[in-house]
Amino acid sequence: MDEASCKYHMIGGDGPNSYAHNSVYQKELIVSAEDLTNQLINSHLDTNKPPFDPRNTFRIADLGCSVGPNTFFAVENIIKSVENKYKKSNRTTQNPNINHQTPEFQVFFNDLVNNDFNTLFKNNLHTSKKSYFIAGVPGSFHSRLFPKESIHFAHCSTALHWLSRIPEEVRESGSMAWNKGRVHYFGAREEVKEVYSVRYKKDMDDFLSFRARELVDGGLMVMVVLGFPDGVVASESSMGVAFGVLGSCFEDLAKMGKISGEKVDSFNLPFYYPSPSELKALIEANGMFDIVRIAKLAAPMRVKPDPRIVTAHLRAVIGELIEEHFGSNGISIDELFKLHLQKVTNSPELFDEEYWKETNYFVFLKRK
Ligand SMILES: C[S@@+](CC[C@H](N)C(=O)[O-])C[C@H]1O[C@@H](n2cnc3c(N)ncnc32)[C@H](O)[C@@H]1O
């Protein structure tokens, strides 16, 4: 299964299980990144450069945008910051030859081909202030998406932990990295984490190299990356507990004869969570960007997580992936997540601050 063929996308539409209604966590992250984004656009966007193009259009790409409304908050904040910077530059410039006229904005919303772009556009019409032109760009951000040097600002929030594919070794019974009985590398043998990490490095390198070609000289990029601080044992985190709960739900359904053990063993989540030093080393090794800032963001939803929200968020993100793997006749998604909710409700670690170790990193880059 690779990203071209699998359902690597959020639950679409506007229903109760949709991503649009179950993504407050991701929205809070976008909100907590706003101030830093504003400050750094103000200090690093160079409005003295000649007009970006003859039509004075400023192009923004949101990579892994999903269906909204979060993506609109993110891009509208970027637009506001860029406009402010132009207005400020206009007030302060003494040089009559430099025209800091505020550009027009074009926003490209990118996600995988199976993303529900119809809902995205409907949500955009209903919820956004619409001071910009929009276009959808289906395709993987691990590949080329835009003409060279055509984008001024790229944004990517809570999407880069998605690998382009699951490392094959984790499903091979003869491999040292065979991940039988687990849904993820958390708590597994070192070899399992290693093959996930190799895949992540390759994916991030591709992501950075393609963006470097697409961004203009001096173009800026913000990434919000879900990870773990250096030295933290991820299996002893609330995310580790949540993935363990998911694995035990599959085992229960297999014991009841509702799904095959083989299908359970071959199910692995395509996520990798780097530490900040790992991330920094990857960006430096790629060599195409200057790191302007890497900062820890405030942790979202840390006040008494509601078990129903924990389960609903997970379902909105991986529901399609599970159906794809088990086949829509092979598993009842409602039954699986009912069981998940029961187990989450009875997992006190999930509500214990000691386990809240996952951390989100804000990364601001400038193309060299
Ligand atoms: C958790 S959602 C985040 C959505 C949005 N950025 C937000 O903050 O609400 C992750 C998104 O990344 C998308 N995604 C995952 N891998 C991708 C890839 N290789 N290329 C483009 N989008 C991808 C998924 O389809 C999903 O919509």
Side-chain angles (χ1 to χ4, degrees):
M1 178 164 70
D2 65 24
E3 66 189 8
S5 61
C6 78
K7 293 195 172 178
Y8 255 36
H9 61 92
M10 312 296 94
I11 294 188
D14 248 343
N17 296 321
S18 64
Y19 182 77
H21 287 294
N22 294 285
S23 51
V24 182
Y25 180 94
Q26 292 87 341
K27 164 141 190 230
E28 285 188 14
L29 281 171
I30 288 173
V31 171
S32 73
E34 257 183 29
D35 283 351
L36 269 174
T37 306
N38 296 346
Q39 281 166 29
L40 295 172
I41 285 179
N42 188 37
S43 22
H44 292 275
L45 178 69
D46 188 356
T47 50
N48 284 326
K49 287 231 159 116
F52 291 118
D53 78 10
R55 288 166 298 281
N56 199 26
T57 306
F58 190 97
R59 296 191 201 86
I60 299 169
D62 190 27
L63 306 157
C65 62
S66 194
V67 293
N70 296 352
T71 180
F72 313 131
F73 292 111
V75 299
E76 286 166 22
N77 179 52
I78 294 165
I79 290 174
K80 202 169 58 192
S81 307
V82 173
E83 279 174 342
N84 285 342
K85 173 74 191 218
Y86 271 89
K87 282 185 197 140
K88 218 188 247 177
S89 307
N90 249 340
R91 282 199 300 273
T92 51
T93 187
Q94 306 293 321
N95 184 346
N97 297 323
I98 296 180
N99 176 10
H100 288 126
Q101 199 191 3
T102 305
E104 289 190 311
F105 292 91
Q106 183 171 29
V107 177
F108 296 100
F109 292 104
N110 155 258
D111 208 292
L112 292 166
V113 288
N114 286 322
N115 183 55
D116 184 357
F117 281 97
N118 285 337
T119 295
L120 170 82
F121 293 131
K122 275 188 220 141
N123 284 342
N124 185 260
L125 282 175
H126 293 144
T127 56
S128 96
K129 296 183 205 111
K130 253 344 213 114
S131 55
Y132 48 94
F133 300 96
I134 63 171
V137 178
S140 169
F141 53 49
H142 296 120
S143 65
R144 262 303 281 283
L145 294 168
F146 303 101
K148 66 178 179 204
E149 296 185 37
S150 62
I151 301 294
H152 304 97
F153 199 104
H155 175 266
C156 184
S157 189
T158 54
L160 282 166
H161 54 285
W162 286 78
L163 298 175
S164 63
R165 52 184 58 73
I166 294 156
E168 276 154 30
E169 299 90 323
V170 301
R171 285 191 289 232
E172 288 167 359
S173 58
S175 160
M176 287 297 285
W178 187 29
N179 200 23
K180 183 174 161 54
R182 286 180 201 282
V183 299
H184 198 239
Y185 65 81
F186 290 171
R189 275 195 223 147
E190 204 37 49
E191 287 85 349
V192 180
K193 175 161 187 207
E194 183 54 28
V195 293
Y196 266 86
S197 150
V198 167
R199 182 74 254 160
Y200 183 73
K201 280 188 187 126
K202 168 83 180 79
D203 285 348
M204 271 305 282
D205 194 55
D206 284 345
F207 176 86
L208 293 168
S209 301
F210 290 126
R211 294 309 76 78
R213 278 199 242 162
E214 296 162 355
L215 280 161
V216 298
D217 181 17
L220 304 174
M221 176 151 73
V222 164
M223 311 189 291
V224 172
V225 180
L226 191 47
F228 284 92
D230 290 290
V232 159
V233 180
S235 55
E236 292 162 15
S237 67
S238 45
M239 199 188 286
V241 175
F243 288 171
V245 166
L246 180 69
S248 81
C249 293
F250 287 140
E251 271 172 36
D252 287 1
L253 292 174
K255 276 185 206 140
M256 288 181 230
K258 300 199 169 176
I259 44 176
S260 84
E262 208 181 302
K263 276 276 179 199
V264 172
D265 284 340
S266 59
F267 181 82
N268 289 276
L269 291 167
F271 303 142
Y272 186 82
Y273 303 99
S275 72
S277 63
E278 223 176 332
L279 203 53
K280 186 164 175 273
L282 283 176
I283 300 166
E284 284 169 355
N286 172 271
M288 311 270 193
F289 289 90
D290 285 320
I291 301 178
V292 176
R293 183 79 66 88
I294 298 188
K296 196 170 145 179
L297 287 172
M301 293 175 73
R302 282 309 190 222
V303 200
K304 275 199 192 157
D306 177 339
R308 284 168 306 177
I309 294 182
V310 173
T311 296
H313 270 55
L314 190 67
R315 179 175 182 160
V317 173
I318 63 168
E320 298 277 5
L321 201 64
I322 291 174
E323 277 200 46
E324 167 80 1
H325 181 83
F326 290 95
S328 46
N329 300 325
I331 194 166
S332 156
I333 293 284
D334 284 338
E335 189 178 358
L336 170 72
F337 283 101
K338 203 168 145 208
L339 192 57
H340 189 266
L341 177 57
Q342 274 167 17
K343 291 192 182 226
V344 163
T345 310
N346 295 317
S347 301
E349 309 95 303
L350 274 173
F351 310 99
D352 177 347
E353 282 185 42
E354 293 240 325
Y355 282 77
W356 297 348
K357 294 174 184 162
E358 43 278 336
T359 308
N360 289 280
Y361 298 96
F362 170 91
V363 182
F364 195 99
L365 304 179
K366 185 164 192 166
R367 206 203 110 186
K368 284 183 181 168

